[in-house]
Amino acid sequence: MVVDGGAVPDASERQRLEECVKEPIRTPGRIQSFGMLFVVNVPTYEIVTASENAAQWLGRSVSELGSPTLEWSVAAATHGDPIRVDLHGEPYDAITNRVGEQVLIELEPANGTPDLPTASVVGAIRSLGLLAGADELRQAAAEEVKRISGFDRVMVYRFFEDGHGEVAGEASEPDMESYRGLHFPASDIPQQARALYLTKLSRQIVSTEDQGTPLVSVDEGVPPLDLSGAELRAVSPHHLQFMRNMGQASTVSFSLIHDDRLVGMITCAHRTERRMPVLLRRALEVLATQLTLQLAALESIAQLRRDLTIREQRTAVLSGIPASDDPLLALVEGGDELCRLVGADGAILVIDGVSRSVGEVPLTDRRLLLSAVGIEPLQTHELERTHPALATLVPGFAGLLVVPVGTRGVLLFFRHEVTRVIRWLGDQTLANRDTPLSPRRSFSSWSQSVEGTSAPWGTIAEEARELGRDLARALDRRQEARLAQLALIDHLTGLHNRRSLERRLESAVAEGQGGVLLFLDLDGFKSINDRHGHETGDAVLRAIAERLTEGSRATDVISRLAGDEFVVLSGGVGQEVGERFASRLIEEIARPIQTARGEMTVTASCGVIVIEPELTAKQLLDAADAAMYRAKKMGRNRTSL
């Protein structure tokens, strides 16, 4: 049996699940003996099928029953709600259901049932509505239903994805052993029974000693009657034995349904035979529906809070990616936070073919491990059972979560093996059963140690996959931003290029910032290239770029247009300051430059113009270029307006 992926399902549990499917629980051919059933052909009003304890009415008209109310109910458009009828001086609660051309009438004796307070259900719903915790709510619901119903024990179940359940809330008599917190296997409430609970919201079993009353029909060749929606449907002998072994004489169960899934149940159990009036069952069906809605709302609120926290943590983990020169290193530096986000003991991060690790990871051949794991999503907390070959590569770890990062890489998260203790509703071994298919004999708490597993990943797996998608998007945006940036950067010097300068210049003109534009051209630079080669020339250009950067303000825009031409855009300064600035830069450029081929010296001619708002960026550059040529004609190594 599997507990949230915990214990390994044994062959007998699988066999029980397979056998349960074969049992015809929808068409048992019997009803519980405390009530009566009629099937009426609507066009003729003839009773065509009846329970054996009412067989004297078979083949007769429903009008002969002597109850105008019952006769009216056959033709009424409304079915399912109970009505009170008298039959030969005895009161009954009648429930009718239309099935094609027939109406199924069920009669439950109104005598002999305790006078239970249906009105108090409304008060219970109101008091439960004030609670804000799911565990507290389940426990309070059990206590309220016990108070209302008077049953010895009331349990609130919750079901897990693998089908097994847990007694999440319980109210019982003081002399009864508590079952709260105990787990039970999926075969206790098999799939076909759960399917019935999706359409039939409550189920009453009045006596575990009742083998049921057969149904008889005027036509013996008719197919078995489908009693899926019936209140009186007889009980599986296997389930009756199950109840007797639990010390139950009577039970009433209510469905907890959310999104068309049976997510839990409320079960009332009594040690002696006890019936619950149909009106109270209907009222408690409403309470169960309200309980489910409230539990779903609480879970949604809790999930929203978790999502918000996780989103903030994800943002923090990925915040350094866009501006980082090495995104993998940025992830490693935030590795502790990354592992906390996923609840992992360690992780191997692979981006663009390079891998790094954080936290505790397997000491194994990294390349072999990555090759064996691949890049497809994988989630397991019992690696030795699900992927035994892979488990040999990660000794000491039982949990593995593989998260793709788009086409850029993969994240591997690891969890250590932990021993967990699961408390079961009864010994789950064959020693507690007469045969592998029979019910457990004892339901006393039984503990099982589960080894070879880690803590289950649960919803964290999807959150980690979302992290992978976010990381892939962050890497793609970073790459796009860097490509866009490279389109505006001079590759040799790292300065702005012509396109970037023109954009900045247009913006400065449009915003009326003012300032000066310095256009510098190196004097005699061609001879350096010719005599010492382009490598030396490039070294000189990079040195000039560094000197221009060091000699300018942080707000100035320094660019290399092409070859040996540089432009400096200095905003917010006038002509006089601009000329002094240009002279200082020329002096810096003229200082000797050390290269691999020895000391090199160049000078520069600089044109200085004041930015005029009526001129375009191209016109300003042309004017600055013209001023630079005037400086060259004046003897070079100088400035000119």
Side-chain angles (χ1 to χ4, degrees):
M1 60 294 301
V2 179
V3 177
D4 200 15
V8 178
D10 57 31
S12 62
E13 170 68 1
R14 287 191 291 267
Q15 188 180 4
R16 284 189 290 274
L17 289 169
E18 292 168 0
E19 287 298 317
C20 288
V21 174
K22 300 175 183 178
E23 195 168 10
I25 63 172
R26 294 177 180 268
T27 57
R30 294 171 174 267
I31 65 166
Q32 296 182 60
S33 301
F34 74 92
M36 294 186 291
L37 181 143
F38 301 107
V39 177
V40 179
N41 182 285
V42 175
T44 64
Y45 271 52
E46 180 188 4
I47 298 173
V48 295
T49 298
S51 54
E52 197 172 66
N53 55 6
Q56 67 270 26
W57 302 103
L58 196 62
R60 299 166 65 176
S61 172
V62 71
S63 60
E64 295 182 47
L65 293 173
S67 172
T69 303
L70 199 57
E71 186 177 356
W72 165 84
S73 71
V74 173
T78 302
H79 297 284
D81 293 327
I83 54 175
R84 182 59 58 88
V85 299
D86 286 320
L87 200 60
H88 302 294
E90 296 292 333
Y92 289 89
D93 287 322
I95 305 99
T96 62
N97 286 287
R98 182 76 178 252
V99 182
E101 290 294 312
Q102 297 179 327
V103 169
L104 188 150
I105 301 174
E106 297 178 88
L107 298 176
E108 294 186 13
N111 290 332
T113 56
D115 186 15
L116 299 176
T118 55
S120 65
V121 174
V122 176
I125 291 174
R126 287 174 178 166
S127 64
L128 292 175
L130 300 175
L131 302 179
D135 293 340
E136 178 188 17
L137 180 58
R138 289 186 177 96
Q139 179 59 29
E143 293 168 0
E144 288 286 356
V145 173
K146 184 181 186 308
R147 177 182 62 81
I148 294 168
S149 68
F151 276 63
D152 290 335
R153 188 197 304 269
V154 174
M155 296 172 286
V156 178
Y157 303 151
R158 66 166 176 166
F159 297 135
F160 295 86
E161 291 296 329
D162 62 7
H164 95 280
E166 178 193 14
V167 181
E170 180 197 49
S172 60
E173 292 299 305
D175 62 335
M176 301 178 76
E177 178 185 1
S178 175
Y179 293 156
R180 188 179 182 189
L182 302 186
H183 294 256
F184 53 87
S187 60
D188 279 5
I189 307 173
Q191 191 55 48
Q192 64 167 343
R194 299 186 194 212
L196 280 173
Y197 277 110
L198 290 175
T199 54
K200 185 73 179 65
L201 301 184
S202 65
R203 166 68 159 153
Q204 175 171 236
I205 299 173
V206 170
S207 174
T208 55
E209 301 302 326
D210 178 20
Q211 300 304 310
T213 296
L215 300 179
V216 292
S217 300
V218 292
D219 182 357
E220 294 183 358
V222 296
L225 183 64
D226 188 345
L227 296 175
S228 299
E231 303 288 334
L232 297 173
R233 177 170 53 86
V235 188
S236 154
H238 179 92
H239 188 66
L240 290 176
Q241 185 61 52
F242 181 96
M243 290 175 60
R244 287 193 292 269
N245 289 359
M246 284 194 77
Q248 299 170 345
S250 301
T251 61
V252 185
S253 296
F254 302 90
S255 307
L256 303 180
I257 300 171
H258 179 62
D259 285 343
D260 298 324
R261 293 184 303 112
L262 188 69
V263 296
M265 293 173 62
I266 301 173
T267 293
C268 309
H270 209 62
R271 289 173 286 189
T272 57
E273 291 185 11
R274 184 179 181 86
R275 285 198 290 123
M276 183 183 291
V278 64
L279 280 176
L280 180 57
R281 300 202 301 271
R282 292 292 184 268
L284 289 176
E285 287 174 7
V286 175
L287 183 146
T289 299
Q290 181 62 33
L291 174 63
T292 310
L293 292 173
Q294 193 172 343
L295 286 170
L298 290 175
E299 176 57 32
S300 295
I301 292 170
Q303 185 62 48
L304 286 172
R305 288 173 176 162
R306 285 196 298 269
D307 290 345
L308 181 60
T309 300
I310 289 168
R311 193 174 297 116
E312 290 173 348
Q313 292 174 334
R314 255 196 333 252
T315 300
V317 167
L318 301 178
S319 60
I321 299 297
S324 173
D325 291 332
D326 186 343
L328 185 56
L329 180 60
L331 280 176
V332 171
E333 289 175 346
D336 290 344
E337 186 62 34
L338 178 64
C339 288
R340 276 195 296 271
L341 175 61
V342 183
D345 295 307
I348 294 176
L349 320 173
V350 184
I351 302 295
D352 296 333
V354 180
S355 71
R356 296 285 186 273
S357 64
V358 295
E360 300 178 50
V361 299
L363 299 176
T364 188
D365 186 318
R366 181 74 57 84
R367 287 180 298 177
L368 183 61
L369 174 60
L370 293 176
S371 175
V373 169
I375 59 171
E376 293 300 317
L378 173 64
Q379 170 189 344
T380 180
H381 63 279
E382 43 188 347
L383 200 55
E384 189 172 352
R385 186 180 73 85
T386 59
H387 300 78
L390 195 55
T392 62
L393 298 176
V394 291
F397 293 86
L400 173 63
L401 182 61
V402 180
V403 178
V405 184
T407 59
R408 304 295 298 276
V410 66
L411 308 178
L412 277 59
F413 295 101
F414 300 92
R415 282 181 175 174
H416 283 300
E417 176 183 335
V418 294
T419 299
R420 294 187 298 140
V421 176
I422 303 164
R423 296 172 58 236
W424 287 97
L425 185 60
D427 183 347
Q428 300 298 302
T429 68
L430 292 180
N432 193 28
R433 299 176 188 270
D434 293 333
T435 71
L437 298 181
S438 62
R440 301 188 294 285
R441 291 191 298 269
S442 168
F443 290 84
S444 294
S445 177
W446 179 76
S447 295
Q448 178 189 28
S449 292
V450 180
E451 299 179 345
T453 70
S454 71
W457 295 103
T459 58
I460 287 178
E462 179 53 38
E463 292 159 0
R465 286 189 280 270
E466 185 62 34
L467 168 68
R469 290 188 284 269
D470 284 352
L471 176 56
R473 286 190 286 266
L475 291 170
D476 289 343
R477 285 195 299 270
R478 174 184 175 275
Q479 187 175 34
E480 292 167 1
R482 290 179 71 83
L483 289 173
Q485 184 181 24
L486 288 174
L488 300 174
I489 295 298
D490 175 62
H491 292 259
L492 177 63
T493 63
L495 300 177
H496 294 271
N497 61 15
R498 175 183 286 273
R499 180 187 297 178
S500 178
L501 173 65
E502 289 176 347
R503 288 185 180 180
R504 299 296 186 97
L505 194 52
E506 288 169 357
S507 176
V509 171
E511 296 173 6
Q513 293 178 356
V516 296
L517 197 63
L518 313 184
F519 197 116
L520 300 103
D521 184 86
L522 302 184
D523 302 323
F525 175 74
K526 184 176 182 299
S527 64
I528 293 178
N529 270 340
D530 293 343
R531 291 177 58 189
H532 302 287
H534 287 285
E535 283 191 14
T536 302
D538 289 348
V540 170
L541 291 174
R542 285 193 291 268
I544 298 298
E546 290 176 4
R547 292 179 180 184
L548 291 175
T549 301
E550 291 171 357
S552 303
R553 300 176 304 175
T555 56
D556 293 339
V557 178
I558 307 156
S559 61
R560 175 178 175 240
L561 295 191
D564 57 356
E565 294 179 337
F566 296 85
V567 174
V568 178
L569 169 61
S570 186
V573 300
Q575 178 179 316
E576 184 178 347
V577 174
E579 286 187 85
R580 291 200 301 270
F581 179 28
S583 297
R584 190 170 67 251
L585 291 180
I586 288 175
E587 291 176 4
E588 287 293 318
I589 291 171
R591 288 191 298 107
I593 299 170
Q594 298 298 325
T595 72
R597 299 295 295 273
E599 189 177 273
M600 304 290 163
T601 303
V602 293
T603 61
S605 300
C606 180
V608 182
I609 68 164
V610 176
I611 296 174
E612 300 292 342
E614 64 271 10
L615 299 180
T616 65
K618 184 179 184 307
Q619 290 171 332
L620 289 169
L621 285 172
D622 288 345
D625 185 35
M628 179 272 296
Y629 275 108
R630 286 195 291 274
K632 282 189 178 293
K633 289 180 180 179
M634 293 167 60
R636 301 185 177 184
N637 194 26
R638 66 190 65 221
T639 66
S640 174
L641 298 174

